[in-house]
Each structure stands twice: as structure tokens, then as C-alpha cells.
């Protein structure tokens, strides 16, 4: 099961169902995926989702807030990998209009009934309800990337006006959401991992949050360890190859009788290098008494290499 589905399942199992929050969550679910039909007998509402958990949750909320029981049907989709679709239907009847008005999907004004294409701020005054609305929006059309593959949370819809309103509203809640239009679909998304964690904490997806934090820490650690290992590896190789070259040069000098002619400082350097082939320049400098700096050691070792070359050249060696 995908990370997104697991997060949704977790949210659907939340049992905190205050009346105010139940209404807010339901409002977002309906705004995200309800389809309305007006017939002779009044409004009919249907809601389709691929998640059985979301279908059950919506039915539960409808029952909790409006004391109605929608009908549940399972349909087999022909295309798209023959996935199942769970459809709730309610009405036609006057109770549907009540639901539409109370959840803020419709408004009664002087001009009559109008659809609202904005987040219904009037039912979201408390922070508990605002979080419930986010939860509903995510359950309706949300998607959360597996954090191993990258950080991305989105809520999709076809209505550009609603998407813009949802995005502005999320930003007022302290999140940094953006909208992008993908073909016919409007996508409200959050990319930043910290922000996604905040969102998950607001909506109550604590398991998903922990999972994501674990992945985040692990990834971070892996990256840091890799960086350190690469860096150390490179340093070790550099030290070894330079030191091997130096040791060879000194051995050449010894073999060709050049050591006798060295100044005391160079001779000491040569002796120390042979004694401590793995030491860094700094460490080598510390073996002198009095100690000498890294650059002086470097200079002397270069000089030794240079002398070895000169000696070899003089004696006709390669
Ligand atoms: Zn509430």
C-alpha cells in the first residue's frame, strides 16, 4: 500500500468527532469530490472515491452531523487498471439541500441559491475545525509522496477558483502552499518537508509524520556520512599517494648515495618520512624538535623529490 493510502487510512481511523469538526471535515470532503444533480424531486448528491476508508468515513460523518445514511455502491472501473470505485449517494430530497447549505457548498442569497467556490470560512472559526477541514481536503483528493522518493503533498481539483481559495486559506494557516495547473486539473501543493510535517501534525496523521521524520533523519544521516566518507577517502588517497612518492624518492636518494649530501634539515625530514610513511604533513612537522609547520615540511619533501630526480638524471636513470 502506498504511503499516501496509509496516511489516509490512519486519518480515517481518527475517532475524535466533535460536532464542529465533523461538519468541517465533511465540508471539505464534499467540496473535493461531491457531484450534484438537480431533479424534479430536489437535489441528489453523490461522492466517488477509490478509497473504501474514505467512503466509510464520509458516510460516518454524514450520519454523525445530519443523521442521514447514504447508499454505498461499489463499481468496477473498466479503464485505469480496473480499480474499484466506491460511490455514496444521497437523495434526491430536501435533506440534501440542507447539507449543501450547512457545509457551505451553497449559499442562499437574494438572488436565490448559488454555489460557493471558496473555503467556507464561516464554519472554520476554531482551529480544531480548520485542521479538520484540511484533513477532509486531503482525504478527498489529496496525495502524499513516499518520502523516500521526495517530499510532495498535493490536493487536486478541477475548479480553479476553489483551488486558489484553498491555497490562500492554507497560507493563512501558516503553510506555504502553491497552485499549479496540470492539464485540466488544479493542484494545490506543498513541497517543503518541514511544511508537510506541519500539515500532517495539524490533520492528526501522527504515524505518517513519524515515518516521514524517520526517513528524513535517515536520509540526512546517510548524506552526511557519505559526504564524510568520500572526503576522508579522498584525503587518505591523497596522503598515501603523495607519501608513497616521497618514500620512493628518499629510497632512491639512499640507493644512489645522495642522502649523505643533504642538509641536516632535509636529512631529518627524510628520516622522519621513512619512519612515518602514513603521517600527514602536519603530523610529520610535529615530530621535529622544535616542531615545524606544514608548509615547511611540504617544501622540504618537495625538495627531496626534486633532488632524487636530479640524482637519477645525473646517473642516467629514468
Ligand atoms: Zn472543531
Amino acid at each position: 500500500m502506498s504511503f499516501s493510502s496509509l496516511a489516509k487510512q490512519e486519518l480515517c481511523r481518527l475517532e475524535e468527532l466533535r460536532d464542529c469538526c465533523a461538519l468541517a471535515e465533511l465540508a471539505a470532503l464534499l467540496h473535493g469530490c461531491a457531484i450534484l444533480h438537480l431533479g424534479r424531486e430536489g437535489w441528489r448528491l453523490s461522492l466517488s472515491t477509490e478509497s473504501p476508508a474514505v467512503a466509510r468515513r464520509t458516510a460516518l460523518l454524514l450520519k454523525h452531523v445530519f443523521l442521514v445514511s447514504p447508499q454505498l455502491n461499489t463499481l468496477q472501473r473498466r479503464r485505469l487498471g480496473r480499480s474499484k470505485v466506491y460511490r455514496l449517494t444521497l437523495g434526491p430530497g430536501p435533506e440534501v439541500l440542507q447539507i449543501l447549505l450547512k457545509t457551505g457548498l451553497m449559499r442562499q442569497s437574494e438572488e436565490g441559491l448559488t454555489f460557493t467556490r471558496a473555503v467556507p470560512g464561516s464554519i472554520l472559526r476554531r482551529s480544531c475545525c480548520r485542521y479538520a477541514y484540511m484533513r477532509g481536503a486531503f482525504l478527498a483528493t489529496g496525495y502524499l509522496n513516499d518520502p523516500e522518493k521526495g517530499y510532495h503533498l498535493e490536493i487536486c481539483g478541477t475548479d480553479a477558483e476553489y483551488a486558489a481559495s484553498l491555497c490562500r486559506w492554507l497560507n493563512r494557516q501558516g503553510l506555504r502552499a502553491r497552485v499549479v495547473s496540470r492539464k485540466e486539473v488544479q493542484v494545490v501543493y506543498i513541497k517543503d518537508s518541514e511544511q508537510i510535517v506541519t500539515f500532517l501534525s495539524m490533520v492528526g496523521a501522527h504515524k505518517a509524520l513519524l515515518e516521514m521524520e524517520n526517513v528524513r533523519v535517515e536520509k540526512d544521516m546517510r548524506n552526511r556520512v557519505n559526504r564524510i566518507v568520500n572526503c576522508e577517502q579522498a584525503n587518505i588517497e591523497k596522503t598515501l599517494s603523495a607519501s608513497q612518492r616521497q618514500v620512493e624518492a628518499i629510497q632512491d636518494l639512499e640507493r644512489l648515495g645522495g642522502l649523505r649530501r643533504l642538509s641536516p634539515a632535509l636529512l631529518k625530514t627524510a628520516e622522519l618520512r621513512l619512519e612515518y610513511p602514513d603521517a600527514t604533513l602536519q603530523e610529520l612537522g610535529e615530530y621535529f624538535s622544535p616542531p615545524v609547520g606544514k608548509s615547511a615540511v611540504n617544501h622540504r619533501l618537495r625538495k627531496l623529490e626534486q633532488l632524487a630526480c636530479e640524482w637519477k638524471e645525473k646517473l642516467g636513470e629514468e
Side-chain angles (χ1 to χ4, degrees):
M1 190 173 279
S2 71
F3 190 69
S4 192
S5 305
L6 284 172
K8 286 190 182 187
Q9 266 195 358
E10 184 192 355
L11 290 176
C12 286
R13 279 197 299 266
L14 287 182
E15 278 179 10
E16 158 262 357
L17 270 184
R18 264 191 241 177
D19 292 352
C20 59
C21 301
L23 177 67
E25 190 178 326
L26 184 61
L29 275 160
L30 296 184
H31 233 133
C33 45
I35 297 169
L36 302 169
H37 311 265
L38 181 58
R40 241 179 286 151
E41 291 161 76
W43 288 96
R44 190 162 65 91
L45 181 153
S46 70
L47 181 145
S48 301
T49 169
E50 283 178 22
S51 159
V54 170
R56 269 198 307 275
R57 176 93 176 165
T58 311
L60 192 82
L61 292 169
L62 279 165
K63 189 154 194 185
H64 182 98
V65 186
F66 295 105
L67 308 171
V68 293
S69 298
Q71 208 186 330
L72 173 64
N73 293 306
T74 312
L75 312 162
Q76 192 87 43
R77 213 182 247 173
R78 292 234 174 84
R79 286 176 296 162
L80 297 171
R82 301 182 68 81
S83 53
K84 271 188 184 167
V85 175
Y86 300 85
R87 180 181 288 166
L88 296 174
T89 44
L90 199 65
E95 74 278 16
V96 176
L97 184 59
Q98 280 312 304
I99 293 169
L100 298 178
L101 290 170
K102 283 252 172 70
T103 51
L105 261 77
M106 271 187 155
R107 198 175 29 203
Q108 183 110 53
S109 66
E110 287 165 9
E111 298 134 44
L113 286 170
T114 47
F115 282 106
T116 327
R117 300 166 77 195
V119 174
S122 61
I123 59 168
L124 305 177
R125 297 223 170 88
R126 297 186 195 176
S127 61
C128 59
C129 301
R130 290 197 283 274
Y131 300 158
Y133 192 84
M134 287 181 202
R135 179 161 64 237
F138 175 71
L139 285 176
T141 59
Y143 177 77
L144 179 59
N145 224 10
D146 184 335
E148 284 280 4
K149 292 176 190 145
Y151 307 116
H152 180 86
L153 183 143
E154 66 178 37
I155 296 167
C156 301
T158 47
D159 186 340
E161 214 176 302
Y162 178 65
S165 164
L166 182 63
C167 182
R168 275 198 305 275
W169 180 80
L170 286 173
N171 288 339
R172 277 206 298 278
Q173 312 313 312
L175 294 162
R176 281 195 303 277
R178 297 221 169 104
V179 192
V180 67
S181 117
R182 208 186 279 153
K183 289 183 186 162
E184 302 286 289
V185 181
Q186 304 296 317
V187 183
V188 179
Y189 69 94
I190 301 174
K191 266 273 176 239
D192 182 71
S193 62
E194 292 269 349
Q195 294 274 307
I196 295 174
V197 165
T198 306
F199 183 95
L200 293 177
S201 138
M202 284 170 159
V203 299
H206 300 295
K207 260 166 105 178
L209 184 157
L210 278 180
E211 182 66 35
M212 197 172 145
E213 285 287 39
N214 279 344
V215 172
R216 215 154 62 119
V217 168
E218 240 171 67
K219 260 186 172 175
D220 203 46
M221 192 84 93
R222 269 203 305 262
N223 286 342
R224 204 175 306 163
V225 167
N226 279 344
R227 271 202 305 275
I228 292 171
V229 166
N230 287 343
C231 178
E232 279 182 347
Q233 195 62 37
N235 279 342
I236 287 167
E237 279 167 13
K238 228 160 69 189
T239 315
L240 271 188
S241 60
S243 130
Q244 271 166 359
R245 231 176 39 225
Q246 292 152 5
V247 168
E248 270 172 30
I250 295 163
Q251 285 167 343
D252 285 339
L253 282 173
E254 194 170 26
R255 187 166 46 84
L256 303 172
L259 283 187
R260 274 172 288 138
R261 309 230 182 154
L262 295 177
S263 69
L266 283 180
L267 186 61
K268 186 72 192 160
T269 309
E271 284 169 354
L272 285 173
R273 178 41 102 201
L274 288 180
E275 200 177 342
Y276 304 109
D278 294 334
T280 62
L281 295 181
Q282 187 167 352
E283 288 164 348
L284 216 53
E286 280 158 13
Y287 292 127
F288 284 87
S289 53
V292 296
K294 201 164 121 179
S295 70
V297 176
N298 189 31
H299 179 76
R300 291 180 193 174
L301 287 166
R302 282 226 195 124
K303 185 76 190 163
L304 286 170
E305 282 187 69
Q306 198 189 329
L307 286 172
C309 284
E310 287 173 11
W311 272 80
K312 282 200 288 187
E313 215 172 46
K314 217 191 293 176
L315 299 170
E317 278 198 39
E318 271 292 305

